[in-house]
Structures are given as C-alpha cells and as structure tokens.
Amino acid sequence: MMSTSTQSPRLGYPVGSGSSAAPTLWDTGDTASPGGPPRLEDGAGGSNASGPQADPIDLTSTGDGGGLERTLSVDEVLDQLSSAPRDAHCLAMLDELASLGGLTLKQQVRLVGLYRQVSTACDGKAADLSARLFECHGKTEGDRRALVDWIARATSSTHGDAARLTQVGQARQATPELKQSMDAGGTSLQGAAALVGETKNLSSQAASQVIGTVIGQGPGRNPAELRQAARVQVEQAHQDTAVERHAKAMRQRHVSVTPAADGMSWLRAYVASTDATVVSSALARQARSQPAAGRSLANVEADLLVDYLHQAIDQADQTGRTS
C-alpha cells in the first residue's frame, strides 16, 4: 500500500499504465455499456492519452522500514489518493501526477474530481485541467457531451456544474486577472461561474475585458455581487451589441429538470424576460385569490404552475387523438 503519511512515495512505472490492461474511456472498456457514458470518437485519442507516452518515472511504495515493496501504477496511486486525508501531501501528489505527460483521459478526469475534493483552493486547478481536456478531446458535440458526463461523475456534480467548471477554466486562460484572483482566494469558483454566465453572449475578447474590469474592482464579493457588476459592465460598455446578444440568448431557450432530495425536483425554464415576468405576475395574482389550505403563497404558485401545465398537456393529448 502507498503510505498516506507525509513521506512522498518514489516512483517506477510507465506513465499511463495500470495494474492491469487499462481500459480505454471510462470503466466500461472500449465501448460504452448501456447506461454508461458515451464513447469518444477515435480521433480523440485511441488510448485517450493527451500526448505521447512519457518515459518511465520512479513511483514506488515503501514499507514502514523504508524498504521497497513494489511498483505502483498511476491508477493505484489515484485509488490511494481517493481515500487519503485531504492535506498538503495529497495536493502535492496530485500536482505531481498532473504535471506528467501520457496520462489517459480517464486518469485526467479522475484528477479533476480529486482536485475538487481537496479544497476550494484547488478549484482553479480543476477548472484548468477540465478546459485542457475539452481542448484536446472535445472535437465533436458527442465528445463534449461525454466529457461533461464524466466530469460530472468524477466531481459528484450536475452536468451544468461540470460544464461551468470547464467554462471557468477557459475564462482563466483568456483572462489573467481571473486566474490570479481565484488562485489568491479573492474570487470563488461560483463567483467566476457567475462572471462567465453574464458574459457568455459576448465575443471572447469582450468577455475577457468585462471580467477583467469586474475583477479589478476588488476581491471578496459573492457571486450575486459579481453577477450584478458584470451585468452593469456589459450594459454600459456594450450597448451596441444588445440586439445581437438578445438574439443569441433567445437561441438558448430551454427547459431543464434537476433532481433534488426527498422526492422533489427543480423545474427550470430559460425564456425571454418579458415572458417570465408575465408568467410570474399571473401566478402571483392568481395565487392570492386561491384558498391557502395550509399552504404558503409560494406553495400555491408552484401548485398552480403544475396544474396549468397538466391541463395544457391533457388538452394537447385530446387534440392529437381527435385530429
């Protein structure tokens, strides 16, 4: 076993090899199993290594007496780090692995997950590695969906959070101010994601300028404050692109469902502000005229929304049966 003490293990394995034949892609082998992540295209790297295989590096496990026990593979080291204390030694080992060439795609995704588990101070490193994976392996839409799925699994997060992690990494590459602020603890991952979300419909250069300006206004603000500051900057500095930005945002309309605890879910709709305002106002107005029956006003609004949607679905079904 690799020691989990502060003594760093020395190494001796070909980078990218496992204790047995390393599977390509995820744990499902060379092709995705039913319910498993989709398979990346072969063009994304046959063995899923990001570059040529590195020269052998000494990584060996030592016993309590300091004697050599056996060689550890990258996968075995990752397995040990998954259950090791989240301390400076664990972080040093992750940094050492991340600096190696020739890691498989699966191993790099596991590194992203472990970085997210160590501490919030490592969020920037996780974002950077996630962005590099998309740059190297996200050649097609199917590839990108697979990467989001894997990163979500590795970080125990939603697909939306996994996508935002990658977007923050891309923004860090384009905006030195954001990288410096995150690394110094002045901006959280959630704050960075808020900035990215508010500038997503700008050009890359304009988005970088807005983010840099907001970061330059000072550290320590929460995501809501950063989001509002970015929104002000976008409206003030890029009024000429308002129509173009709205048209681009309208093409992103969608509905999503996110499972929550205790048999509940979040139902979200990304729609035009005018439509959202009309719906919200109508629900609030009608909820005030309904008997509460032990429910809060918010409860009544939610119940009305679901009732209206069920009615619309039933009417559509009846129309379809009679047409």
Side-chain angles (χ1 to χ4, degrees), residues 148-149 151-152 155 157-168 193 256 258:
V148 166
D149 185 62
I151 292 171
T155 57
S157 63
T158 66
H159 287 76
D161 287 338
R164 282 186 284 274
L165 180 68
T166 300
Q167 292 162 1
V168 168
S256 64
T258 303

Side-chain angles (χ1 to χ4, degrees), residues 2-9 85 87 89:
M2 184 190 75
S3 171
T4 57
S5 67
T6 56
Q7 179 182 359
S8 177
D87 53 17
H89 172 60

Side-chain angles (χ1 to χ4, degrees), residues 108-260:
Q108 292 177 83
V109 170
R110 292 187 67 186
L111 274 176
V112 173
L114 287 171
Y115 268 132
R116 288 284 284 124
Q117 294 172 23
V118 171
S119 75
T120 55
C122 297
D123 285 344
K125 294 181 178 181
D128 291 342
L129 181 53
S130 180
R132 287 198 297 272
L133 290 176
F134 267 71
E135 183 178 353
C136 294
H137 301 286
K139 305 302 182 185
T140 69
E141 182 62 28
D143 293 346
R144 290 187 287 272
R145 285 198 302 268
L147 284 169
V148 166
D149 185 62
W150 296 347
I151 292 171
R153 290 167 181 245
T155 57
S156 300
S157 63
T158 66
H159 287 76
D161 287 338
R164 282 186 284 274
L165 180 68
T166 300
Q167 292 162 1
V168 168
Q170 294 165 342
R172 282 167 56 91
Q173 294 174 358
T175 313
E177 298 91 340
L178 178 61
K179 177 176 172 57
Q180 293 168 5
S181 181
M182 287 187 68
D183 292 347
T187 302
S188 67
L189 175 64
Q190 292 75 18
L195 291 174
V196 171
E198 285 300 319
T199 57
K200 64 182 179 181
N201 292 322
L202 295 174
S203 67
S204 297
Q205 182 178 3
S208 181
Q209 290 174 346
V210 169
I211 292 174
T213 299
V214 173
I215 292 295
Q217 294 171 349
R221 285 171 291 175
N222 62 41
E225 292 169 333
L226 290 169
R227 184 180 295 108
Q228 180 59 32
R231 189 170 300 169
V232 169
Q233 283 295 317
V234 170
E235 296 300 332
Q236 289 180 348
H238 300 279
Q239 295 181 11
D240 56 327
T241 65
V243 174
E244 178 185 349
R245 286 186 283 110
H246 179 68
K248 185 174 181 179
M250 285 291 286
R251 292 194 292 271
Q252 300 168 20
R253 300 187 310 279
H254 66 276
V255 173
S256 64
V257 177
T258 303

